[in-house]
Amino acid sequence: MEREKIINFLEKFDYRYSVKNQVIEVKLDFSQKVMIDLSETNKIKIYDELVGWNFLTGLLVMSLKNAIIYNFIISIISSFVFFYLQSLISSINFIPFYFVFILWLLMSIQYYVIKLENFKSRIMNLQE
């Protein structure tokens, strides 16, 4: 019964999805994919993945959690690079570029997290 409810919900709101065995794969905006695993009775597992070209990982395929960790490490490395370039070339101020880069990352992370959690909560509300 849960599978039919979820599929009806996806069709009602015009989501792009495919069904493979007991897994429903839903494609959200900006290369975000959510897998709903219904293989266990009375339990729904929801996995996410960023695929293709996206704002957080480029062409790498990984979960949102791993993408946040990946971007945290990249931002630390880029801060050293920006500050090193600032010490080498004093005529150009690299600090604004760094802040724009960090702002872009934070906004992208926020978008993907909100989109994923909103979708998860809507799926979980179907079960009540």
Side-chain angles (χ1 to χ4, degrees), residues 11-58:
E11 288 178 356
K12 179 180 178 183
F13 290 102
D14 206 23
Y15 283 101
R16 292 171 292 162
Y17 71 95
S18 62
V19 180
K20 297 176 186 170
N21 296 330
Q22 292 295 323
V23 177
I24 302 172
E25 188 176 284
V26 183
K27 293 178 182 162
L28 300 178
D29 295 335
F30 297 111
S31 301
Q32 189 174 19
K33 186 169 40 170
V34 178
M35 284 75 66
I36 305 167
D37 188 0
L38 302 170
S39 60
E40 295 182 32
T41 56
N42 297 330
K43 198 176 206 181
I44 296 177
K45 293 181 183 179
I46 300 178
Y47 305 99
D48 67 288
E49 200 172 66
L50 294 172
V51 296
W53 179 254
N54 60 68
F55 297 124
L56 293 179
T57 63

Side-chain angles (χ1 to χ4, degrees), residues 67-83:
I68 292 170
I69 294 169
Y70 167 78
N71 279 296
F72 176 71
I73 293 169
I74 294 296
S75 66
I76 290 174
I77 293 169
S78 68
S79 68
F80 287 119
V81 169
F82 278 121
F83 290 119

Side-chain angles (χ1 to χ4, degrees), residues 4-15 119 122-123 126:
E4 290 79 22
K5 279 185 185 179
I6 293 172
I7 289 175
N8 287 338
F9 167 78
L10 295 173
E11 288 178 356
K12 179 180 178 183
F13 290 102
D14 206 23
Y15 283 101
F119 184 77
R122 293 177 80 183
I123 294 297
L126 289 175

Side-chain angles (χ1 to χ4, degrees), residues 44-106:
I44 296 177
K45 293 181 183 179
I46 300 178
Y47 305 99
D48 67 288
E49 200 172 66
L50 294 172
V51 296
W53 179 254
N54 60 68
F55 297 124
L56 293 179
T57 63
L59 294 173
L60 300 175
V61 176
M62 63 180 71
S63 70
L64 184 58
K65 176 185 171 188
N66 291 339
I68 292 170
I69 294 169
Y70 167 78
N71 279 296
F72 176 71
I73 293 169
I74 294 296
S75 66
I76 290 174
I77 293 169
S78 68
S79 68
F80 287 119
V81 169
F82 278 121
F83 290 119
Y84 179 71
L85 286 174
Q86 183 65 39
S87 67
L88 285 180
I89 307 169
S90 60
S91 63
I92 300 173
N93 189 5
F94 287 100
I95 305 299
F97 295 113
Y98 176 71
F99 285 128
V100 167
F101 171 70
I102 295 299
L103 183 65
W104 178 263
L105 282 179
L106 291 174

